[in-house]
Amino acid sequence: MKQIDELIRGELAAVISIDSIIDKVKAEERRHLESIRKDHVSAVDKLKMFAHSDFVEEAESPGPWGAFTSAVKKGASIFGDRIALEALKLGEEHGINEYREVIRDDATNPELRRVIESELIPNQEKHLALINQFLH
């Protein structure tokens, strides 16, 4: 269950990170970030279905991910949206790696594995592609 807790924390951190910079980016980027944010909120809801209730309550805050979201916010304030987008890119890459690690674990619930492979990883990859477009 610790895996699911960490996945939920990562998704919550993504939501908080996007919230912290969404007003600092261009209008076109903002629309896409709002869509990415919705995907992360949806991922939290899906992951909660696989967590025990005590883990869900513990995972309501980003925990150690709070430092990451704080860095994104500070980066956006000081250096502008490009640095914040670079940080979001790193977060998306990290999320993909975390999901891949979970599906490689033989103890992972088969239904959770299916959701990760068919929905969550493809969404993260889509987010990464969009963020890369913004950065080029």
Side-chain angles (χ1 to χ4, degrees), residues 23 28 42 59-61 73 77 81 98 102 106-107 117 128:
D23 292 333
E28 178 186 344
S42 176
E60 288 298 324
S61 72
K73 188 173 183 175
S77 300
D81 62 342
E98 281 192 323
V102 170
D106 292 336
E117 290 175 328
L128 191 55

Side-chain angles (χ1 to χ4, degrees), residues 25-67:
V25 297
K26 299 173 190 151
E28 178 186 344
E29 293 169 353
R30 187 174 305 125
R31 283 194 314 275
H32 290 293
L33 287 178
E34 288 168 351
S35 175
I36 291 171
R37 183 189 186 283
K38 286 179 189 175
D39 286 345
H40 286 293
V41 169
S42 176
V44 169
D45 292 338
K46 287 177 183 174
L47 291 168
K48 282 181 178 181
M49 293 187 308
F50 296 97
H52 292 307
S53 60
D54 58 337
F55 279 97
V56 172
E57 287 185 26
E58 289 176 22
E60 288 298 324
S61 72
W65 279 99

Side-chain angles (χ1 to χ4, degrees), residues 13 18 36-37 63 70 76 88 97 113 117:
I18 291 169
I36 291 171
R37 183 189 186 283
S70 178
L88 289 177
N97 291 334
R113 181 179 284 116
E117 290 175 328

Side-chain angles (χ1 to χ4, degrees), residues 17-25 33 72-73 76 84-85 88:
S17 295
I18 291 169
D19 286 349
S20 72
I21 69 160
I22 203 154
D23 292 333
K24 297 170 179 62
V25 297
L33 287 178
V72 171
K73 188 173 183 175
L85 289 170
L88 289 177

Side-chain angles (χ1 to χ4, degrees), residues 37 89 99:
R37 183 189 186 283
K89 176 183 174 182
Y99 282 132

